[in-house]
Amino acid sequence: MLDPPWRSSPRIGASGGMLIDRATSSRDEDDVKGDATCLEDSWKELSLLKATPHLQPRPPPAALSQPTPLPAPSPSTPAGPAGADAPGAPRLSSPAPPCLTFQEKLLAFEQDHVTIPVAHVALAKQLAGDVALELQAYLRSKFPALPFGAVVPGGPLFDGLQAGAADPVRLLVPLALEPGLWSLVLGTDTVARDPRCWAVRRTQLEFRPRGSSPWDRFLVGGYLSSRVLLELLRKALTASVNWPAIGSLLGCLIRPRVASEELLLEVQHERLELTVAVLLAVTGAQAGDRLLLAWPLEGLAGNLWLQDLYPAEAARLRALDAGDTGTRRRLLLLLCGVCRGHSVLWRLGRSHLTQVVLRLGEEEADWAEEALGERFLQALELLIGSLEQASLPCHFNPCVNLLDGLREEEVEDLGYALYCGLQAPEGLLWGGVGHERW
């Protein structure tokens, strides 16, 4: 079976992306005969698509205000009243609407669907901080024997990377582990063989026997189990916390999302809606300055701790933009906004898109606002190239392939959607199923 066109397109440049075949003529008849029927039905329209539009320079202001000549009157048109303009006299007309470039359309999309009002950001931060204080007070009263650290709000909202209401605000609930009693084991050195994770092993049992640490009750096979701790906190958040009373105190409605495997709270305020993710974490020196999260993992990795690379990624983007006053973070928000509202591309989450922006951000030199449209198209090409190879390595942990969680048919759907989007990128901006923001 022949590969679809988005798989067989030649590559471009140093960025390693894909140049989509821009020929508009149909294929030879002999080639068509060799295609399988299913591929012919799925991909035959692609040869009719127009070439990818290049970014056009902004026309001079005078060109945008030139009047459009009116058509000559037909012979059957009755003559005007006496004193009317002579037939040959020029007529005034309203200016023709300007033809916007893709760059201008992209900036308009950013303004209408990505940029969040400052007042809403401030309100969301205040609500997140209030919920964090209430949650911390509850944990200390409910589990006085467990040394939880201070609950800290964070995430994209606090890093200027919030892409709308779909991005949860993170509340980190750190575990205060005793120094010298715990050590880390890389996930690849466990039976799970998972490079994304770490195991937290109990040590010094000969000197500090089991039971001398309050966290020993959550051991499974000598390791601190993230799954057992998650279940403990899930039951508390869904059954024990008086969320109606807390919400009334804070002037909002708070409800736990019971059906989710993650620990999520839905916060509804009269001015906005907010999703809060409660994340149990091992941090600081006990984690080797890593951030390890209790995450609902499957199979043999169920008791391991997932290393969260978001802080490192956000810090790297911030440093790159600070070095040249660049627009890398704006590009990431645009990609998140486009994919979140698309019927197929929603499968590409923030982590996928961040790797693409990081790679472009370190390879390309020009990150002025005027180049934002070109960088957007390059990001689409890089995504297509990654899908073609079924490989999108994590920037800070190349052993992790972020496409491993996608099925083959999902990869094909994503590649087709991005291929079509690269041919007509304006359709990605306005052709989604909806763009939710605060």
Side-chain angles (χ1 to χ4, degrees):
M1 180 177 293
L2 296 179
D3 285 338
W6 68 269
R7 283 190 176 276
S8 58
S9 305
R11 300 182 180 278
I12 68 164
S15 64
M18 303 288 296
L19 271 182
I20 304 304
D21 183 6
R22 290 169 169 80
T24 56
S25 60
S26 59
R27 294 180 295 176
D28 293 338
E29 183 177 352
D30 293 338
D31 293 337
V32 176
K33 291 180 180 179
D35 289 348
T37 304
C38 61
L39 270 179
E40 181 179 350
D41 293 339
S42 300
W43 299 90
K44 62 184 179 181
E45 310 92 68
L46 293 182
S47 62
L48 302 178
L49 292 174
K50 295 181 179 180
T52 304
H54 296 283
L55 298 178
Q56 300 296 328
R58 183 192 296 270
L64 300 181
S65 59
Q66 293 297 327
T68 303
L70 295 177
S74 62
S76 60
T77 303
D85 293 340
R91 296 171 180 261
L92 295 177
S93 63
S94 58
C99 181
L100 299 179
T101 65
F102 175 66
Q103 167 82 7
E104 292 168 326
K105 293 177 182 178
L106 190 66
L107 295 179
F109 175 84
E110 179 185 38
Q111 180 63 34
D112 294 341
H113 297 284
V114 175
T115 303
I116 302 174
V118 175
H120 286 187
V121 173
L123 176 59
K125 288 182 178 180
Q126 178 185 340
L127 289 173
D130 292 341
V131 173
L133 290 175
E134 295 294 334
L135 179 60
Q136 178 175 302
Y138 166 79
L139 291 175
R140 290 180 176 176
S141 63
K142 178 68 174 179
F143 307 106
L146 296 179
F148 289 108
V151 179
V152 181
L157 176 66
F158 292 83
D159 295 321
L161 292 172
Q162 187 76 16
D167 274 348
V169 177
R170 298 150 58 100
L171 297 186
L172 289 183
V173 183
L175 280 59
L177 300 180
E178 301 89 343
L181 295 188
W182 309 90
S183 65
L184 298 183
V185 179
L186 188 60
T188 52
D189 294 333
T190 67
V191 293
R193 304 295 181 189
D194 194 329
R196 303 171 301 164
C197 305
W198 294 78
V200 180
R201 181 172 58 190
R202 176 70 155 86
T203 61
Q204 302 293 328
L205 288 173
E206 62 274 19
F207 304 107
R208 299 283 300 275
R210 184 166 179 163
S212 58
S213 169
W215 302 109
D216 285 345
R217 56 187 283 202
F218 305 105
L219 293 179
V220 173
Y223 295 86
L224 184 63
S225 171
S226 61
R227 175 180 293 168
V228 177
L229 278 164
L230 269 177
E231 288 307 312
L232 173 75
L233 193 55
R234 182 190 308 279
K235 292 178 181 178
L237 294 181
T238 56
S240 299
V241 182
N242 190 351
W243 293 117
I246 295 176
S248 177
L249 179 65
L250 302 181
C252 59
L253 179 64
I254 306 177
R255 290 180 299 206
R257 191 179 295 178
V258 180
S260 174
E261 292 186 351
E262 304 173 43
L263 303 181
L264 299 178
L265 303 175
E266 296 176 349
V267 180
Q268 294 182 342
H269 188 272
E270 61 181 3
R271 293 172 57 190
L272 56 81
E273 295 184 359
L274 189 66
T275 301
V276 175
V278 181
L279 302 171
L280 287 167
V282 175
T283 64
Q286 296 303 310
D289 294 325
R290 303 175 183 87
L291 177 59
L292 306 180
L293 302 179
W295 196 258
L297 301 170
E298 298 179 354
L300 296 174
N303 292 311
L304 302 184
W305 295 75
L306 180 69
Q307 182 175 2
D308 182 24
L309 295 173
Y310 166 79
E313 294 167 349
R316 182 56 180 161
L317 287 174
R318 184 166 55 250
L320 288 171
D321 275 351
D324 56 11
T325 319
T327 56
R328 297 166 183 82
R329 289 177 293 175
R330 288 175 63 184
L331 174 61
L332 176 59
L333 289 176
L334 282 166
L335 291 170
C336 288
V338 165
C339 293
R340 184 181 67 243
H342 196 278
S343 58
V344 175
L345 299 182
W346 63 266
R347 293 186 178 90
L348 294 175
R350 174 183 292 274
S351 59
H352 301 100
L353 303 174
T354 299
Q355 313 314 312
V356 173
V357 177
L358 281 170
R359 179 174 170 183
L360 274 179
E362 297 188 346
E363 291 178 351
E364 297 296 334
D366 185 6
W367 282 94
E369 181 179 87
E370 292 75 15
L372 193 55
E374 182 180 353
R375 298 293 167 262
F376 181 89
L377 297 178
Q378 279 185 300
L380 299 187
E381 293 172 347
L382 266 179
L383 282 168
I384 292 175
S386 298
L387 290 166
E388 179 191 32
Q389 300 175 12
S391 174
L392 182 59
C394 177
H395 188 80
F396 288 103
N397 188 356
C399 295
V400 176
N401 179 13
L402 295 177
L403 296 182
D404 278 346
L406 296 175
R407 301 191 303 271
E408 183 178 355
E409 56 268 26
E410 292 174 338
V411 171
E412 294 293 330
D413 290 343
L414 288 169
Y416 179 84
L418 288 169
Y419 181 92
C420 295
L422 194 56
Q423 299 292 323
E426 294 86 353
L428 289 179
L429 303 182
W430 312 112
V433 296
H435 301 276
E436 180 186 6
R437 73 165 184 176
W438 286 329

